[in-house]
Amino acid sequence: MRKGYMYRIIFVAIVVLSAAWFTVTKPVKLGLDLKGGVYVLLEAKPEEGQRLDNEAMGRLIEVLNRRVNGLGVSESSVQKVGDKRVMVELPGITDTEQAIDMIGKTALMEFKIQNADGTLGETLLTGGALKSAAVSYDNLGRPQISFEMTLDGATKFAEITRNNIGKQLAITMDGVIQTAPRINSEIAGGQGVITGNYTAEEAKNTASLLNAGALPVKAEILETRSVGATLGDESIAQSETAGIIAIGLIAVFMVVFYRLPGLVANLALVCFGLITFATLNFFDATLTLPGIAGIILSVGMAVDANVIIFERIKEELRFGNTVMASIEAGFKKAFSTIMDSNITTLIITTILFTLGTGPVKGFAVTLTIGVLASMFTAITITKVLLRGFTMLFKIDKPSLFGVRGK
Amino acid sequence: MKIKIIENRKKFFTFSTILVVLALSALVFKGVNYGLDFTGGNLIQVKFEKTMELKELNPILNEISKEIPQLDNNSRKVQVSDDNVVIVRTPEMSEDVKNNFMKTLEEKAGKYDLLRSDKVGASVGEELKSTAIIALLVGLILIVGYITIRFEFKFALAAVLALFHDVIIAVGGIALLGYEVNTPFIAAVLTILGYSINDTIVVFDRIREVLKKKKVSTLGEAVDLSVNQTLTRSINTSFTTFLAVLAILIFGGASLKVFITTLLIGVLIGTYSSIFLASPVIYLLDKDEKLSDIGHN
């Protein structure tokens, strides 16, 4: 038994130390509500007859990514949400107007034949057919725009160019003609160039417009949220204060009410904090304001597991059992209660995570991690510490456990 | 201290009934004050350089509303806090209209710092409502399933009754306070679900144990004994959680106020219901059988 106990001490020490190392070396990633930034939720709106498959969504995300990269934000993210939605997050952005403008541009690019009288024919292709556009230079060093079509687009493009040699192919953005190069020859293979009297600047702008505007499907902005950095800083400061005060009050209560075990519970609480933050770090979770509330709440629940155990130990002591036997029995009897009560909480957090959106998800993640960490600390760390103290100081007085002597 | 739960059960049932009726009337007559996340629209929060009062701000907004009808007195909600922080809620505005409004506001009311700007489409809000209800139902079904497996169906029924009781009172309380509810409120209500059940299960667990050991001869005695044995734990746990929640309420900032107040009501009422409601309900459900089968498992 002694040997098994040694192993357990070593195991706990390794867990706590690595958690501490993890927490110290890598800062927790903060959500937009804490550090400020812009959040945009878009929904793809396919036109009649247009299919909204994975490929179209993939292309939409690609285009949005390109637009976002154009803003030069580090740590930006573009993520698919559900079947037809895309979430864009731009941390630290101050010019929200520009960001929303850039991302939200619903421009739909269309290829149409321009008739001699300037009127436009029917839509032959949409921006979905365009893979990418870039500035290149011809033999004489004049800027031009080279482009590449998708596999599907290339076939259609070859057909269109073959049938319309000599005519002008207009590229429109939301109905406005951006450029209307003359078709000089059939363009097979999906690669071509648009020449014209472009300045380098114009060529660059048109290319990026083609890139940015090449939405394969219309996307509508459903939701935008932007948080200024000031508000974020305030939120962090306030939740830090709240956290410290909450933990301080709980710590005092535990020592007053449970004496030695209370002290042990407080040490376990520190370990709980380290493990929770390390786990958040490990999974690269983002800490949001509701997330912080989730952590503070799980502190309350972490204490609960200890309270259940200590109450059991006190009961055993009142029966007149020895301290060591009471500790063993207390942990054993408390185990199923802790499991049952925490599993129901985990059921709820799982639902919150599955069905919830942004902030609710954040709360669910931290509460889940908090509940799991609290179970681990209460069952393993509290036990190791409590047995350790009891053995080390040869404790045999029930009064140290908050039990009044008979 | 020894509480006689079974003997006084009628008092507790009456008390709970009154609370539930009050909460339901608050919901019916006052209604929940749905926020931006549910209704859709725009919200901007700005911090002026100077102190700002509603008296001063309202005429300015009325002026702007000639150009932007969304700022009309009937469709906007304005709130001033900390002397210079102003929150304006309006029906949905396009990006251009909103930018126009922001510029005009600066010209007419003075310089400010933009703290927050949110826009939610109406369809997103509708979705949120249905998702919330689905989440609640799925949560309930899974919890009933789990408790039925671990205990038995009667326990699940009693726990769910207590859950409804807690959730109705918490939501009714928020309706009565008139707080504006958004997405975090759903998280809070679901957390109450988790917390309340957590508390109830600790008592149930003890009832099961007492029954198994055949320490007592009737279910009523088992309930009384179990509640009293777990009472210190119930109070201590609620107290520590209460401390945590209270600290966030006082020091955690305005954005968490509704979320935390909901939790606060939930923690208090959840503790009460697990002791004084869920346990006597089991007794009611099982009155004729004297002892539940659970003792024989």
Side-chain angles (χ1 to χ4, degrees):
Chain A
M1 188 208 135
R2 281 252 151 170
K3 207 170 175 188
Y5 181 60
M6 276 308 291
Y7 285 137
R8 237 173 273 177
I9 292 180
I10 293 167
F11 171 66
V12 166
I14 290 172
V15 170
V16 174
L17 287 177
S18 47
W21 184 79
F22 231 104
T23 312
V24 173
T25 50
K26 199 177 137 199
V28 179
K29 221 160 73 186
L30 298 178
L32 290 183
D33 55 347
L34 292 178
K35 75 164 135 185
V38 178
Y39 162 99
V40 182
L41 182 71
L42 302 118
E43 184 172 277
K45 298 266 175 180
E47 314 237 292
E48 224 170 297
Q50 200 176 13
R51 266 186 315 142
L52 189 67
D53 48 16
N54 272 336
E55 205 207 313
M57 282 305 287
R59 295 260 303 127
L60 179 64
I61 289 169
E62 210 182 294
V63 173
L64 288 173
N65 247 324
R66 232 180 283 152
R67 289 181 178 185
V68 165
N69 289 338
L71 289 166
V73 186
S74 60
E75 286 182 68
S76 62
S77 91
V78 179
Q79 268 175 296
K80 196 174 162 196
V81 184
D83 290 336
K84 50 179 186 174
R85 288 186 184 166
V86 185
M87 180 182 92
V88 180
E89 286 191 321
L90 307 165
I93 271 260
T94 44
D95 190 350
T96 56
E97 268 176 51
Q98 188 212 347
I100 293 171
D101 204 43
M102 180 95 177
I103 300 160
K105 221 173 6 187
T106 52
L108 181 69
M109 193 166 78
E110 289 163 315
F111 293 85
K112 298 171 181 180
I113 294 296
Q114 189 172 20
N115 302 320
D117 58 359
T119 57
L120 294 175
E122 61 181 296
T123 304
L124 301 169
L125 268 182
T126 64
L130 184 76
K131 200 168 169 191
S132 65
V135 178
S136 60
Y137 296 90
D138 67 7
N139 300 336
L140 299 170
R142 287 178 302 201
Q144 60 183 19
I145 298 146
S146 50
F147 61 89
E148 195 185 336
M149 307 299 273
T150 60
L151 221 55
D152 199 31
T155 326
K156 285 180 193 150
F157 196 63
E159 193 188 309
I160 295 165
T161 47
R162 185 168 60 239
N163 297 337
N164 294 291
I165 292 174
K167 290 183 187 164
Q168 274 184 299
L169 181 68
I171 302 172
T172 65
M173 205 76 80
D174 277 346
V176 178
I177 300 174
Q178 299 298 326
T179 176
R182 214 175 84 96
I183 301 169
N184 292 323
S185 60
E186 175 187 338
I187 301 173
Q191 292 194 343
V193 289
I194 303 170
T195 53
N197 283 324
Y198 293 119
T199 66
E201 191 64 27
E202 277 168 5
K204 198 181 136 221
N205 283 343
T206 313
S208 66
L209 203 62
L210 290 180
N211 272 330
L215 280 190
V217 51
K218 263 195 182 160
E220 193 183 286
I221 295 190
L222 288 184
E223 206 179 318
T224 62
R225 288 172 195 272
S226 64
V227 177
T230 340
L231 196 63
D233 288 343
E234 268 172 35
S235 306
I236 293 183
Q238 284 168 338
S239 24
E240 264 174 13
T241 317
I244 290 168
I245 290 174
I247 290 168
L249 287 174
I250 291 173
V252 169
F253 172 81
M254 288 304 278
V255 172
V256 169
F257 205 88
Y258 290 106
R259 311 292 161 85
L260 174 72
L263 196 71
V264 168
N266 289 342
L267 288 175
L269 209 57
V270 174
C271 300
F272 159 81
L274 291 175
I275 291 172
T276 306
F277 274 99
T279 316
L280 277 173
N281 264 340
F282 184 78
F283 288 110
D284 238 352
T286 311
L287 196 60
T288 57
L289 206 51
I292 291 180
I295 292 180
I296 299 182
L297 195 64
S298 59
V299 170
M301 291 180 152
V303 174
D304 176 48
N306 284 313
V307 168
I308 292 176
I309 294 166
F310 299 162
E311 282 300 325
R312 282 290 190 172
I313 295 177
K314 279 167 100 169
E315 270 174 46
E316 297 295 319
L317 286 169
R318 284 193 200 105
F319 284 138
N321 292 330
T322 65
V323 169
M324 211 53 188
S326 299
I327 292 176
E328 293 301 325
F331 273 96
K332 213 169 151 193
K333 288 184 174 171
F335 185 74
S336 84
T337 313
I338 294 173
M339 285 303 276
D340 279 337
S341 64
N342 281 316
I343 284 173
T344 49
T345 309
L346 289 176
I347 289 176
I348 299 291
T349 56
T350 310
I351 296 168
L352 281 178
F353 183 77
T354 325
L355 294 174
T357 51
V360 176
K361 260 200 166 81
F363 172 73
V365 168
T366 52
L367 194 57
T368 306
I369 292 174
V371 168
L372 291 176
S374 84
M375 272 167 40
F376 175 77
T377 46
I379 294 167
T380 315
I381 298 185
T382 307
K383 194 171 176 182
V384 164
L385 289 177
L386 203 54
R387 284 166 86 187
F389 276 119
T390 311
M391 281 198 277
L392 204 62
F393 301 110
K394 305 210 170 15
I395 288 164
D396 52 7
K397 279 193 229 105
S399 61
L400 278 168
F401 284 72
V403 174
R404 281 187 210 100
K406 283 176 191 167
Chain B
M1 184 169 63
K2 185 143 172 69
I3 302 181
K4 291 193 173 100
I5 303 285
I6 300 302
E7 203 181 299
N8 294 309
R9 63 180 185 275
K10 286 195 176 125
K11 287 178 200 159
F12 303 131
F13 288 150
T14 314
F15 179 66
S16 284
T17 312
I18 292 172
L19 281 186
V20 169
V21 169
L22 278 178
L24 285 177
S25 7
L27 286 174
V28 171
F29 296 113
K30 208 158 179 245
V32 177
N33 181 4
Y34 288 111
L36 188 75
D37 289 358
F38 287 98
T39 57
N42 276 71
L43 176 149
I44 64 151
Q45 184 179 356
V46 294
K47 190 176 188 170
F48 282 97
E49 285 177 348
K50 54 174 187 180
T51 308
M52 191 53 85
E53 277 177 60
L54 269 183
K55 273 186 289 182
E56 188 186 349
L57 196 62
N58 268 327
I60 297 174
L61 291 173
N62 284 339
E63 179 87 7
I64 304 178
S65 77
K66 281 173 196 156
E67 267 179 69
I68 303 170
Q70 282 99 327
L71 285 164
D72 186 73
N73 205 359
N74 297 319
S75 49
R76 67 167 188 249
K77 266 190 198 168
V78 187
Q79 207 183 317
V80 180
S81 60
D82 289 346
D83 289 343
N84 61 349
V85 177
V86 174
I87 297 174
V88 182
R89 259 193 58 186
T90 69
E92 216 171 322
M93 294 192 278
S94 74
E95 210 52 33
D96 288 343
V97 173
K98 189 204 82 192
N99 293 339
N100 190 7
F101 159 54
M102 306 282 295
K103 271 186 207 109
T104 324
L105 185 68
E106 185 158 9
E107 280 164 22
K108 299 196 174 184
K111 269 201 171 310
Y112 59 74
D113 190 10
L114 180 64
L115 295 181
R116 169 194 295 274
S117 166
D118 294 349
K119 177 186 162 184
V120 180
S123 63
V124 179
E126 278 307 313
E127 244 179 71
L128 189 63
K129 272 186 210 164
S130 52
T131 316
I133 291 168
I134 293 170
L136 212 66
L137 289 179
V138 175
L140 279 174
I141 292 168
L142 289 177
I143 283 175
V144 168
Y146 184 75
I147 299 181
T148 308
I149 292 167
R150 293 287 296 161
F151 297 84
E152 61 176 86
F153 187 64
K154 278 168 201 153
F155 284 69
L157 214 59
V160 166
L161 191 81
L163 272 188
F164 269 113
H165 167 266
D166 299 347
V167 169
I168 290 171
I169 291 171
V171 177
I174 293 298
L176 198 66
L177 289 169
Y179 287 170
E180 202 178 275
V181 304
N182 284 307
T183 317
F185 174 74
I186 296 176
V189 171
L190 286 164
T191 310
I192 294 177
L193 232 65
Y195 184 84
S196 159
I197 208 81
N198 199 308
D199 223 23
T200 307
I201 280 184
V202 175
V203 182
F204 283 5
D205 200 63
R206 189 58 71 102
I207 296 178
R208 180 173 58 182
E209 189 184 316
V210 167
L211 287 175
K212 266 187 189 164
K213 288 193 176 155
K214 304 218 167 41
K215 282 183 182 166
V216 288
S217 52
T218 67
L219 181 64
E221 282 173 41
V223 169
D224 267 3
L225 183 66
S226 307
V227 167
N228 279 290
Q229 279 181 350
T230 51
L231 198 61
T232 319
R233 173 265 156 197
S234 291
I235 292 168
N236 283 359
T237 293
S238 302
F239 186 65
T240 48
T241 312
F242 180 79
L243 285 181
V245 171
L246 199 67
I248 316 177
L249 184 67
I250 298 173
F251 303 100
S255 51
L256 285 170
K257 190 180 78 180
V258 180
F259 174 77
I260 287 299
T261 311
T262 315
L263 281 184
L264 194 67
I265 303 175
V267 168
L268 293 177
I269 206 68
T271 310
Y272 163 82
S273 74
S274 59
I275 299 173
F276 299 105
L277 187 67
S279 314
V281 166
I282 293 210
Y283 172 76
L284 278 191
L285 290 173
D286 207 69
K287 224 190 308 190
D288 306 326
E289 292 171 39
K290 282 196 172 170
L291 269 186
S292 164
D293 285 342
I294 207 148
H296 309 295
N297 286 345

